[in-house]
Amino acid sequence: IGGCLLQTRTPVEVEAHLTVQLTLLDEPTPVKIYVAVVRWSAPPMCGLDFLLIDEVGESRLSAYLKRDVSPSATSALRYYGRN
């Protein structure tokens, strides 16, 4: 999983390093991204590149994205792959 598009009210600078927790629908525990880098910013959106995520979290997130989820869930969480 390469990263995601993030919508935020808080301005973020390109190359900022963030720690992000993703709350998945019907999942009790959030997935923690230990290091995400802002690659572009066009408020209120920015693109994050995930640099450090543990194997279990990555596996859970990958399984979540492969499941048949509702349109509201997919619109809330959009991912792009790393080339």
Side-chain angles (χ1 to χ4, degrees), residues 50-76:
F50 298 161
L51 297 185
L52 183 59
I53 178 174
D54 66 61
E55 282 186 42
V56 173
E58 186 170 10
S59 177
R60 287 181 50 224
L61 187 53
S62 181
Y64 176 82
L65 293 171
K66 289 177 184 174
R67 282 195 324 231
D68 250 344
V69 293
S70 70
S72 62
T74 56
S75 66

Side-chain angles (χ1 to χ4, degrees), residues 1-6 12-20 22 32-41 46-53 58 61 78-83:
I1 297 176
C4 72
L5 171 71
L6 174 69
V12 292
E13 293 187 25
V14 173
E15 298 303 318
H17 287 70
L18 308 174
T19 297
V20 180
L22 302 176
K32 187 169 184 178
I33 312 300
Y34 293 96
V35 180
V37 178
V38 178
R39 295 300 185 195
W40 60 267
S41 181
C46 68
L48 300 181
D49 187 12
F50 298 161
L51 297 185
L52 183 59
I53 178 174
E58 186 170 10
L61 187 53
R78 294 189 178 107
Y79 285 83
Y80 66 91
R82 192 176 288 157
N83 292 335

